[in-house]
Amino acid sequence: MAGKFMKCMCMKICCIGDHVTQEMKKDTYEEAIEGLEKLLSEKDELKSIAAAKVRRLTAELAGPAEIGAVESDPVKRIQTGFDHFKKEKYEKQIALYWKLAQGQTPKFLVFACSDSRVCPSHVLNFQPGEAFVVRNVANMVPSFDQKKYSGVGAAIEFALLELKVENILVIGHSCCAGIRNLMSVPDDSATRSDFIEGWVSICKAAKATVQKQSSHLSFDDQCTQLEKEAVNISLANLLSYPFVNEAVVTKKTLLLKGAHYDFVKGSFELWDLNSKTSSFLWN
């Protein structure tokens, strides 16, 4: 009898506990909404920030299916991306962005590939204001020419003469489609594209070197070699710019470095202009 009584009491207590818990959750939720409405009624300027955060929270609570739907809509993907940046970076580093509004003083000019998998700021954790970045197919630097590839020339000139950068870093990477394209260009000079083959031919001397020294390797391994050798051609081409040459050779105020990022192995190689081989390797 006592056992039945205790069991009955436990069930009642559990039911009461569940009811109280539900009521507490309801009160907490309602209090939170009421508090938010009161805050926004007093500070109208916070409404846009609150809206962004509510959208973000809604997406998180909705689960993977809703998140996938957001990402399939380009406008919503851009919106949620900016909301995340605003919340997690801008609002937490507001002093940095106020400082950057006064001007930029980056120490690096970085040449990197346009490949969506190899953003240099992501790979090297560059913060806003640290690196002046130029991205193109296969991270190539053409030789000095005031009529061709003037966009690259303007970027180099601006970085050196206006921003006074102290380092130029050229980063190659694994599985580079631009390099594979260069490796596949037929020797008869027949073109299959309007722009790509003409662009990657900037480093055709690197292709000749790899074919001569590494003909015994597979096509994929030759491409890996070419990813690095093309960086060396770009470093040499940088010296054809008078203001680069002067800063490196005469004034010694500028350092040129080559690098290779392997996102398959998770490694990063770094070398100097003169060494042309890996001086540092981080795995």
Side-chain angles (χ1 to χ4, degrees):
M1 186 73 178
K4 288 183 178 180
F5 176 77
M6 290 299 296
K7 184 177 181 180
C8 182
M9 288 298 294
C10 287
M11 290 178 66
K12 287 184 177 180
I13 291 171
C14 286
C15 289
I16 293 171
D18 289 343
H19 177 73
V20 170
T21 300
Q22 292 298 324
E23 286 299 315
M24 288 177 65
K25 287 181 179 178
K26 182 179 179 182
D27 290 343
T28 302
Y29 170 77
E30 291 176 348
E31 287 173 0
I33 295 298
E34 184 180 347
L36 178 61
E37 290 177 344
K38 181 180 179 182
L39 176 64
L40 295 181
S41 67
E42 296 172 351
K43 297 185 178 181
D44 190 66
E45 69 275 12
L46 293 178
K47 287 184 177 180
S48 60
I49 297 175
K53 292 187 176 183
V54 169
R55 281 193 296 268
R56 179 76 183 173
L57 178 60
T58 302
E60 291 175 355
L61 295 176
E66 286 296 324
I67 292 173
V70 168
E71 292 185 349
S72 67
D73 184 321
V75 174
K76 287 184 178 178
R77 175 60 189 85
I78 292 169
Q79 181 181 14
T80 56
F82 180 74
D83 288 346
H84 178 76
F85 161 77
K86 188 76 175 290
K87 174 185 176 182
E88 299 299 328
K89 297 186 178 181
Y90 184 84
E91 291 176 359
K92 292 181 178 180
Q93 297 178 294
I94 191 70
L96 170 63
Y97 289 95
W98 275 105
K99 181 180 178 182
L100 292 174
Q102 312 308 313
Q104 58 172 323
T105 55
K107 300 299 182 184
F108 290 88
L109 165 59
V110 178
F111 282 91
C113 187
S114 300
D115 193 303
S116 61
R117 301 165 292 182
V118 295
C119 174
S121 293
H122 182 74
V123 175
L124 298 179
N125 197 33
F126 282 128
Q127 298 305 301
E130 277 195 285
F132 189 74
V133 181
V134 179
R135 299 183 69 176
N136 59 46
V137 173
N139 45 266
M140 293 184 178
V141 182
S143 57
F144 181 85
D145 190 322
Q146 290 179 302
K147 295 182 179 180
K148 291 178 65 179
Y149 314 125
S150 58
V152 175
I156 297 171
E157 185 176 33
F158 185 79
L160 262 69
L161 302 187
E162 299 293 330
L163 300 178
K164 312 295 183 183
V165 299
E166 299 170 2
N167 306 273
I168 300 182
L169 175 64
V170 182
I171 310 173
H173 70 90
S174 59
C175 305
C176 182
I179 290 297
R180 293 182 75 86
N181 188 288
L182 172 59
M183 202 70 201
S184 304
V185 172
D187 295 329
D188 60 7
S189 299
T191 57
R192 299 165 294 178
S193 62
D194 292 325
F195 297 101
I196 299 172
E197 290 174 18
W199 172 258
V200 297
S201 67
I202 289 169
C203 290
K204 61 184 178 182
K207 175 185 176 181
T209 299
V210 170
Q211 288 179 324
K212 181 179 179 180
Q213 297 179 353
S214 306
S215 59
H216 61 288
L217 298 177
S218 67
F219 179 81
D220 287 344
D221 288 340
Q222 287 186 51
C223 285
T224 298
Q225 293 293 104
L226 185 53
E227 288 165 0
K228 300 175 184 180
E229 190 58 36
V231 169
N232 290 329
I233 294 296
S234 289
L235 292 176
N237 285 346
L238 279 165
L239 289 175
S240 68
Y241 292 78
F243 33 86
V244 174
N245 194 294
E246 181 183 22
V248 173
V249 179
T250 307
K251 296 182 178 178
K252 301 187 185 304
T253 55
L254 178 68
L255 297 176
L256 305 186
K257 293 185 180 295
H260 184 265
Y261 166 53
D262 189 328
F263 61 79
V264 178
K265 297 179 180 178
S267 63
F268 193 89
E269 296 178 58
L270 182 70
W271 60 91
D272 295 323
L273 170 66
N274 296 323
S275 64
K276 295 188 177 182
T277 56
S278 180
S279 302
F280 303 92
L281 172 61
W282 298 285
N283 293 302

